[in-house]
């Protein structure tokens, strides 16, 4: 059983590394004190607007599940831009600094 736990911990290292990068390079609103079990983050995009992302523990650099939150006049254009550029996502980049999304 101990060996099985070590395998799982080893498999989760890329996820935890990605979340740590994300936490240090963005303004995380939720969770306030993220734990390793938390794969969701809500971060500031601009005044009164945030994005909630959820990383896939099995593929942490894949395009995250995303939901924009805020007034429609700011969220609408962000959703459109995100949708237009999602195909440029490169899973070799980090979630915190995607080179193809701009």
């Amino acid at each position: 059983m101990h060996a099985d736990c070590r395998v799982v911990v080893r498999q989760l290292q890329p996820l935890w590394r990605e979340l740590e990068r994300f936490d240090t390079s963005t303004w995380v609103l939720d969770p306030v004190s993220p734990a390793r079990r938390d794969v969701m983050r809500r971060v500031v995009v601009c005044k009164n607007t945030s994005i909630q992302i959820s990383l896939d523990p099995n593929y942490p650099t894949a395009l995250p599940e995303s939901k924009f939150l805020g007034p429609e006049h700011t969220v609408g254009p962000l959703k459109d831009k995100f949708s237009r550029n999602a195909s440029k996502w490169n899973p070799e980049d980090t979630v915190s600094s995607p080179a193809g999304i701009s």
Side-chain angles (χ1 to χ4, degrees), residues 4 13 15 18-19 24 27 29-31 38 40 42 47 49-51 53 60 62 72 74 76 84 88 91 100 102:
D4 292 339
Q13 290 299 318
L15 170 68
E18 192 62 30
L19 288 168
T24 59
W27 181 356
L29 298 172
D30 290 316
D38 300 316
M40 182 280 298
R42 186 169 66 93
K47 186 176 180 177
T49 305
S50 61
I51 185 171
I53 67 151
E72 184 56 36
T74 59
R84 279 193 317 271
K88 297 177 185 177
S102 57

Side-chain angles (χ1 to χ4, degrees), residues 82-96:
F82 188 85
S83 294
R84 279 193 317 271
N85 290 304
S87 63
K88 297 177 185 177
W89 187 269
N90 181 352
E92 299 303 316
D93 291 336
T94 65
V95 173
S96 60

Side-chain angles (χ1 to χ4, degrees), residues 27 29 42-52 67-76 78-79:
W27 181 356
L29 298 172
R42 186 169 66 93
V43 299
V44 172
V45 174
C46 59
K47 186 176 180 177
N48 299 320
T49 305
S50 61
I51 185 171
Q52 180 176 307
K67 180 179 180 180
F68 288 94
L69 305 162
E72 184 56 36
H73 71 277
T74 59
V75 168
L78 290 170
K79 284 181 182 177

Side-chain angles (χ1 to χ4, degrees), residues 12 14-16 18-19 55-64 89 95:
L12 290 171
L15 170 68
W16 294 334
E18 192 62 30
L19 288 168
L55 300 186
D56 180 344
N58 297 311
Y59 197 37
T61 60
L63 183 65
W89 187 269
V95 173

Side-chain angles (χ1 to χ4, degrees), residues 10-26:
R10 193 173 318 116
Q11 290 171 338
L12 290 171
Q13 290 299 318
L15 170 68
W16 294 334
R17 200 170 25 256
E18 192 62 30
L19 288 168
E20 287 171 11
R21 281 187 202 123
F22 195 79
D23 292 345
T24 59
S25 65
T26 62

